Amino acid sequence: MFNKTLTELSAALREKQLSSMELTQAFLDRIDKYSALNAFITVDAERSLAEARVADERLVKGKAAPLTGIPVAHKDIFCTEGWLTTCASKMLANFVSPYDATVIEKFKAAGAVLLGKTNMDEFAMGSSNETSYFGPTKNPWDTTVVPGGSSGGSASAVAAGLAPAATGTDTGGSIRQPAALCNLTGLKPSYGRVSRYGMIAFASSLDQGGVLTRTAEDAAVLLNVMAGFDPRDSTSVDRPVPDYTATLDHDIKGLRIGLPEEYFGEGLSQEVARLVETAVEEFKKLGAKIVEVSLPNSNLAVPCYYVLAPAEASSNLARYDGVRYGFRAEEYSDLLDMYRKTRSQGFGAEVKRRIMIGTYALSAGYYDAYYLKAQKLRRLIAEDFKQAFEMCDVILGPTAPTTAFKIGAKIDDPVAMYLNDIYTIPVNLAGLPGMSIPAGFAADGLPVGMQLIGRYFDEARLLNVAHRYQQVTDWHARMPEGFD
Amino acid sequence: MSLDRQLVQKIAHLARLEISEQETDMYVETLSRILGLIEQMNAIDTTGVAPMAHPTDTGLRLRDDAVSETDQSGKFQRLAPAAEAGLYLVPKVIE
């Protein structure tokens, strides 16, 4: 049962082949059995099973919603009432949320069972899951390499079959990069498509919630649940939500796929390039037309992002002051000392580094040179996409420049770590939807992902293209050895 | 540009972080390297380009000025490290 799709599981529940209690228990057992992956921060079997019991009652009465009885894991960045919500930080290690994020409310309304809270990089700042206060998560494809980040716990859990699907968030690649490194389908919707209410803020003009699943079809099922206008999120966009499963099977004959030359240049491993090019051949067989496009300013996206994201983070994380909730230092002399000791002891090294960069970029005398300059570059990067989409319907390229790297390899070199997100960051800056889907395996046996980028609010087309590819390939169905 | 120790301490103060002597050296080194990455932005002339604060490029939505929330202060204050009589407690600020 652990490697079935959501559609298959939902059918099995409705046909009474098994109950939600049995299904939930089966996943809880696997979470326990493979606890060495460190994919979860909080598991509460009693609560999960109580939700499953309620779901079973609904199923018996024939009152099932789309996800009734399906266990789903949530990244520990989504506030969940009555559950610890830590954001993988010492600062929130004791924080039991008093309310549900909109995303959590929507999953509850759809009948899903909350399976647990997954590990992540602290405050979603990282590309390897190594900055978690609760220790690194391991990649089931090779437990000596990282699962990617920041949604690394969600990726590891779904890849190892500890959860049928999981939520994630993506500020600069935090859904797509771990999906690529763990052989999953990862979807980051357009900025404004999914409510950010109750999703702990990192960089508010970039953060967007999404999912990590086995298939594009599963991602469509979950986006149907998550998407939609929310008056409690001031940047939520009020547009109708289509049925994302309705267009999955559409023919892609004549679809124009753009390959940006900048995504196939220096820094890309030959193995990844080869597999992405093989996937392009597959799309040609499906009738797609390949066109060359250019994103000339994309090489400046990483520098631009490392001004804007830390600047927004330094402001967002000012709220952690030891007064209203979370950690407070034990000893201090006065109020200022309390703030400083609380924040120095409560935040980890990478979070402090980004707060420092952001504070500097926003400080008097430097604002124009850094923050304003980065905002202007952001415009140029977004304009590049607009021009490219005049030539094509979807952009395709690699998700990450290499396969997963060893735990410990880059943690002491922040700049090397930041460059993992070279192909994903431009998409967040422009606010566009992006996906990563499995494209095969490199010689080292590790999975490679390819990225699909769409026009603003064109998630349905991305899911359609990904689904068609998954109909003619089976990379996405592969399970890591020892977890199958 | 590279930062010096004094500037690192000033930034730490603005960010309300306490940075030890030893850590200061570490921050001088890593923050300078990150700034080296950031300064690649200067390769492009952005004169006349309008800054983009936000992907949707629109203003904030307005709502009716109506009460939408209930009073849950008791529930929220139970999360505080120190609270009493409906107040959050902090070290004395007025002598």
Side-chain angles (χ1 to χ4, degrees):
Chain A
M1 274 300 152
F2 59 84
N3 57 1
K4 295 269 188 275
T5 67
L6 297 179
T7 311
E8 289 165 337
L9 290 176
S10 189
L13 288 170
R14 280 157 206 260
E15 288 158 17
K16 312 282 188 295
Q17 288 169 24
L18 83 171
S19 68
S20 176
M21 289 276 279
E22 289 165 336
L23 184 64
T24 303
Q25 187 63 58
F27 281 109
L28 288 168
D29 289 345
R30 282 182 71 84
I31 291 169
D32 188 47
K33 183 176 174 189
Y34 298 110
S35 59
L37 289 174
N38 202 23
F40 284 81
I41 291 174
T42 303
V43 180
D44 185 337
E46 214 169 294
R47 289 180 77 107
S48 298
L49 290 169
E51 290 188 18
R53 190 175 298 116
V54 174
D56 280 331
E57 285 163 15
R58 295 186 69 94
L59 283 160
V60 167
K61 288 180 193 156
K63 285 184 177 170
L67 296 178
T68 296
I70 307 262
V72 176
H74 293 290
K75 185 176 183 179
D76 208 19
I77 198 168
F78 289 102
C79 284
T80 38
E81 187 170 4
W83 289 72
L84 271 180
T85 299
T86 71
C87 232
S89 180
K90 180 180 180 183
M91 190 60 94
L92 291 174
N94 65 355
F95 180 70
V96 176
S97 176
Y99 74 108
D100 277 329
T102 297
V103 162
I104 301 295
E105 273 184 359
K106 283 175 173 276
F107 272 96
K108 278 187 180 172
V113 170
L114 206 172
L115 185 60
K117 305 293 294 290
T118 58
N119 205 349
M120 52 182 284
D121 281 296
E122 184 182 8
F123 283 105
M125 297 178 194
S127 308
S128 69
N129 229 90
E130 292 169 286
T131 72
S132 169
Y133 174 62
F134 300 96
T137 299
K138 291 170 179 142
N139 188 326
W141 290 94
D142 174 349
T143 53
T144 67
V145 304
V146 303
S150 66
S151 311
S154 289
S156 177
V158 178
L162 313 187
T167 53
T169 58
D170 191 315
T171 304
S174 282
I175 288 174
R176 291 160 288 159
Q177 184 254 15
L181 271 43
C182 291
N183 200 46
L184 296 175
T185 299
L187 169 67
K188 179 205 95 75
S190 307
Y191 184 82
R193 179 76 291 191
V194 170
S195 171
R196 293 185 297 109
Y197 179 78
M199 195 177 99
I200 296 173
F202 159 17
S204 302
S205 81
L206 301 159
D207 297 342
Q208 182 62 200
V211 289
L212 294 107
T213 55
R214 300 193 178 288
T215 63
E217 185 186 13
D218 282 359
V221 168
L222 295 185
L223 188 60
N224 276 353
V225 168
M226 291 171 86
F229 176 63
D230 180 7
R232 292 177 299 184
D233 170 1
S234 64
T235 59
S236 174
V237 175
D238 194 357
R239 279 208 207 183
V241 180
D243 176 359
Y244 292 105
T245 61
T247 45
L248 287 172
D249 288 316
H250 280 191
D251 200 342
I252 60 166
K253 196 172 263 178
L255 177 92
R256 296 170 303 163
I257 296 180
L259 303 182
E261 54 177 319
E262 294 81 3
Y263 275 43
F264 293 88
E266 200 188 334
L268 179 63
S269 95
Q270 286 186 357
E271 282 279 289
V272 175
R274 182 178 62 80
L275 288 165
V276 173
E277 282 157 15
T278 307
V280 169
E281 292 305 313
E282 205 65 54
F283 279 114
K284 281 186 191 164
K285 285 187 216 159
L286 288 166
K289 274 190 236 161
I290 306 301
V291 293
E292 301 274 328
V293 296
S294 179
L295 302 169
N297 295 295
S298 60
N299 62 324
L300 295 173
V302 172
C304 170
Y305 176 88
Y306 277 96
V307 174
L308 298 179
E312 293 184 25
S314 71
S315 168
N316 272 325
L317 272 61
R319 73 190 68 180
Y320 302 104
D321 56 4
V323 175
R324 289 152 302 162
Y325 48 80
F327 173 77
R328 178 189 282 196
E330 277 186 18
E331 288 176 26
Y332 41 84
S333 55
D334 56 20
L335 186 63
L336 180 63
D337 195 44
M338 187 197 84
Y339 291 150
R340 295 172 68 157
K341 288 207 161 62
T342 293
R343 291 166 60 78
S344 297
Q345 294 166 26
F347 291 135
E350 180 61 21
V351 173
K352 282 190 263 193
R353 203 145 48 214
R354 297 206 196 181
I355 290 174
M356 293 280 284
I357 286 287
T359 303
Y360 176 61
L362 292 176
S363 62
Y366 300 102
Y367 183 91
D368 286 6
Y370 293 109
Y371 191 63
L372 207 60
K373 176 82 185 179
Q375 285 192 323
K376 290 177 174 182
L377 265 178
R378 182 177 190 173
R379 167 94 48 206
L380 296 179
I381 291 161
E383 292 293 332
D384 283 354
F385 279 107
K386 265 188 200 160
Q387 294 207 348
F389 279 123
E390 283 174 14
M391 315 270 295
C392 64
D393 306 306
V394 165
I395 291 173
L396 187 152
T399 306
T402 63
T403 57
F405 45 92
K406 292 278 180 194
I407 293 171
K410 296 187 183 179
I411 195 68
D412 296 323
D413 185 352
V415 171
M417 188 71 89
Y418 299 167
L419 292 172
N420 281 299
D421 296 329
I422 187 164
Y423 306 127
T424 47
I425 280 175
V427 181
N428 299 78
L429 291 170
L432 301 173
M435 280 186 86
S436 180
I437 58 171
F441 292 82
D444 57 8
L446 292 171
V448 167
M450 72 172 133
Q451 186 176 205
L452 298 167
I453 304 165
R455 295 195 183 103
Y456 191 56
F457 268 63
D458 207 7
E459 286 82 0
R461 195 195 302 258
L462 289 186
L463 290 160
N464 166 222
V465 173
H467 180 69
R468 294 300 300 215
Y469 177 79
Q470 292 181 341
Q471 297 296 99
V472 295
T473 55
D474 69 350
W475 305 120
H476 62 284
R478 308 271 176 102
M479 289 285 290
E481 212 182 306
F483 298 88
D484 47 5
Chain B
M1 81 174 256
S2 61
L3 300 175
D4 58 26
R5 295 174 58 91
Q6 203 186 343
L7 188 50
V8 164
Q9 279 297 339
K10 187 187 155 203
I11 301 165
H13 172 72
L14 290 172
R16 297 295 182 266
L17 290 169
E18 189 176 71
I19 305 278
S20 71
E21 285 293 307
Q22 258 184 329
E23 286 174 316
T24 306
D25 290 331
M26 187 270 289
Y27 277 105
V28 165
E29 197 263 324
T30 53
L31 297 188
S32 297
R33 266 199 294 153
I34 295 168
L35 286 177
L37 171 78
I38 287 170
E39 277 162 8
Q40 290 174 19
M41 294 195 303
N42 297 329
I44 294 279
D45 181 9
T46 49
T47 314
V49 178
M52 178 173 165
H54 204 271
T56 51
D57 238 353
T58 52
L60 283 178
R61 195 174 56 243
L62 298 175
R63 65 167 173 85
D64 291 336
D65 185 15
V67 176
S68 60
E69 300 297 322
T70 52
D71 180 7
Q72 301 184 70
S73 54
K75 187 179 177 186
F76 297 154
Q77 282 201 329
R78 274 195 292 281
L79 297 165
E84 207 178 285
L87 303 169
Y88 290 101
L89 302 188
V90 295
K92 202 171 182 178
V93 283
I94 303 167
E95 290 299 331

